Amino acid sequence: MDRAAHFRPSRTRRPQPLLSVVVPLYNEQETVEALWERLRAVLQPLEAPFEVVLVDDGSHDATPRLIDALHQRDQRVVVVRLSRNFGHQAAISAGLAHAQGQAVVVMDGDLQDPPELIPQFLRLWREGNDVVYAVRRSRREGPVRRLGYRAFYQLLGWISDLEIPPDSGDFSLMDRRVVDAFNRLPERCRFARGLRRFLGFRQAGLVYDRPARAAGRPKYTLRKLVGLAIDGLVSFSSSPLRMVTYLGLAAAGLAIVLTAWVLDDAIRHHSAPQGWASTLIVVLFLGAAQLLSLGVLGEYLRLIFLEAKQRPAYIVAELKRHAGSHRDHDGAADERVSMAVAE
Ligand code: UDP
Ligand code: MG
């Protein structure tokens, strides 16, 4: 299909391809209305059909009610309700599985991903890119978080088997082909930005300044953030395992050198190292190295365990979509699916 014709204001009544915007939401009652208004302001002038897939990731504030109201008000709002909180990455996967567009945008619900960037995404997509991802030039976040993000992306770039562009988050546009491939990936641990890179196709970055959260508190606690970072590292690199081997070899080498030195001292000078400080240091060092190695092994074991159980990454409790909403705008009954377990 000729992408150049897509999403241009056109006078002819040629059917235009659908654009989907997927937004995961967890307790975002403060921003959800503003999000919809800004999305509409950006998408309306494109004169192409669009749908906004709002994924309610088990919110327990007014979010479910607010997005249901949006769905009532506007045909183009699709609601995917998860049966509980499955986490940001799982919510993105759920949204991608239900998006029907020819091009699919993924963005956060707190307006840290400015919707005004979408036309530029579309321009790069029309130029033939299959994936357009936003790259943060700056962030409005506290110094501790900023340092954490930096360390994470450096470490990821250093040890990862894939070249994941630094500071590219989940905010992106994907072509239908890429979304289909994403949906077919069998893994349960879904680190979207890494998987997106893994899929390949033609990818392009788009630099932007990341604003602060519009309202509300970050839904990622530091613990969740560290968890996400470890998942990302473990899913996309096996080099920590190799490093453990090197650590073991280095410790063994050190032990051999020390033994030789002590023996030499004992034979030639009839002396032995004195004091317990040296012993303590060696014991502590080895203890730490062993615990660290067990931890690294444990992380990989955890992933294997999660994948082996084959439980779905998320469960959809309810799906609300106006039938044929993006084809004819005449409204129809809701399509409700109860407990549709994600394939
Ligand atoms: N989110 C979610 N489930 C969660 C945590 C977050 O769907 O368990 C959503 C949240 O509503 C927001 C997006 O993921 O739309 C990003 O979350 P947040 O702003 O807290 O992350 P940060 O910007 O700090 O990385
Ligand atoms: Mg945020």
Side-chain angles (χ1 to χ4, degrees):
M1 208 188 290
D2 173 27
R3 285 188 199 166
H6 291 180
F7 299 109
R8 249 192 228 139
S10 81
R11 245 155 272 223
T12 56
R13 296 289 303 159
R14 212 144 62 92
Q16 296 244 37
L18 178 72
L19 168 70
S20 302
V21 179
V22 168
V23 191
L25 296 166
Y26 178 51
N27 295 345
E28 298 288 5
Q29 60 182 11
E30 293 93 351
T31 56
V32 87
E33 288 280 342
L35 169 81
W36 168 245
E37 286 312 319
R38 267 174 69 182
L39 266 176
R40 214 174 41 166
V42 169
L43 299 177
Q44 201 89 39
L46 296 174
E47 287 187 20
F50 67 87
E51 62 171 8
V52 176
V53 181
L54 300 174
V55 183
D56 170 22
D57 186 16
S59 302
H60 42 74
D61 64 353
T63 307
R65 193 170 46 76
L66 290 173
I67 62 178
D68 279 352
L70 286 180
H71 167 79
Q72 289 297 331
R73 235 164 54 208
D74 199 299
Q75 313 254 336
R76 298 165 294 192
V77 175
V78 178
V79 172
V80 179
R81 178 150 298 125
L82 303 189
S83 61
R84 64 169 169 86
N85 179 246
F86 281 90
H88 183 199
Q89 300 294 312
I92 289 178
S93 290
L96 285 174
H98 290 91
Q100 298 184 335
Q102 215 36 55
V104 182
V105 170
V106 175
M107 61 181 284
D108 282 356
D110 58 358
L111 292 168
Q112 279 197 293
D113 300 336
E116 290 73 24
L117 232 55
I118 293 176
Q120 296 187 54
F121 278 175
L122 289 170
R123 181 175 52 78
L124 283 165
W125 176 70
R126 281 200 305 265
E127 287 170 7
N129 294 293
D130 298 297
V131 174
V132 185
Y133 54 86
V135 180
R136 297 146 190 179
R137 180 166 36 205
S138 64
R139 288 173 186 278
R140 299 271 162 75
E141 244 127 358
V144 178
R145 275 192 181 222
R146 276 230 293 266
L147 199 75
Y149 284 119
R150 243 190 108 112
F152 169 69
Y153 281 108
Q154 290 253 327
L155 194 63
L156 189 64
W158 187 44
I159 67 170
S160 167
D161 309 331
L162 274 181
E163 243 180 71
I164 299 176
D167 276 328
S168 63
D170 297 317
F171 188 24
S172 60
L173 176 147
M174 287 182 264
D175 185 69
R176 182 79 250 159
R177 291 190 297 164
V178 184
V179 175
D180 285 343
F182 187 97
N183 292 339
R184 276 199 300 270
L185 288 173
E187 55 219 278
R188 321 280 136 170
C189 176
R190 301 184 83 82
F191 185 61
R193 63 200 76 166
L195 294 174
R196 197 180 63 208
R197 192 68 186 173
F198 164 82
L199 290 173
F201 294 95
R202 223 175 118 179
Q203 307 214 351
L206 181 69
V207 176
Y208 80 115
D209 295 302
R210 188 160 171 86
R213 197 170 230 289
R217 294 174 54 77
K219 303 303 166 322
Y220 265 102
T221 55
L222 200 61
R223 214 186 77 196
K224 268 197 195 173
L225 213 55
V226 171
L228 179 70
I230 293 180
D231 277 353
L233 293 174
V234 173
S235 314
F236 284 92
S237 171
S238 54
S239 41
L241 285 173
R242 177 98 12 112
M243 280 184 227
V244 164
T245 312
Y246 291 151
L247 186 66
L249 285 176
L254 198 67
I256 290 171
V257 171
L258 275 177
T259 310
W261 177 60
V262 169
L263 279 180
D264 179 64
D265 225 32
I267 292 167
R268 286 203 291 165
H269 305 110
H270 299 287
S271 71
Q274 294 199 334
W276 48 269
S278 49
T279 318
L280 197 63
I281 288 172
V282 172
V283 169
L284 277 182
F285 170 74
L286 281 181
Q290 283 172 359
L291 285 180
L292 187 73
S293 311
L294 270 182
V296 170
L297 285 181
E299 284 299 332
Y300 286 91
L301 196 62
R302 181 182 153 268
L303 267 200
I304 298 173
F305 174 62
L306 287 180
E307 300 293 342
K309 281 190 294 189
Q310 303 219 351
R311 288 186 190 150
Y314 57 84
I315 291 172
V316 178
E318 191 178 18
L319 174 64
K320 288 181 158 192
R321 181 194 289 281
H322 289 277
S325 51
H326 50 267
R327 272 165 244 120
D328 45 72
H329 284 253
D330 60 3
D334 281 356
E335 175 190 325
R336 274 168 184 257
V337 180
S338 292
M339 286 301 287
V341 177
E343 317 82 335

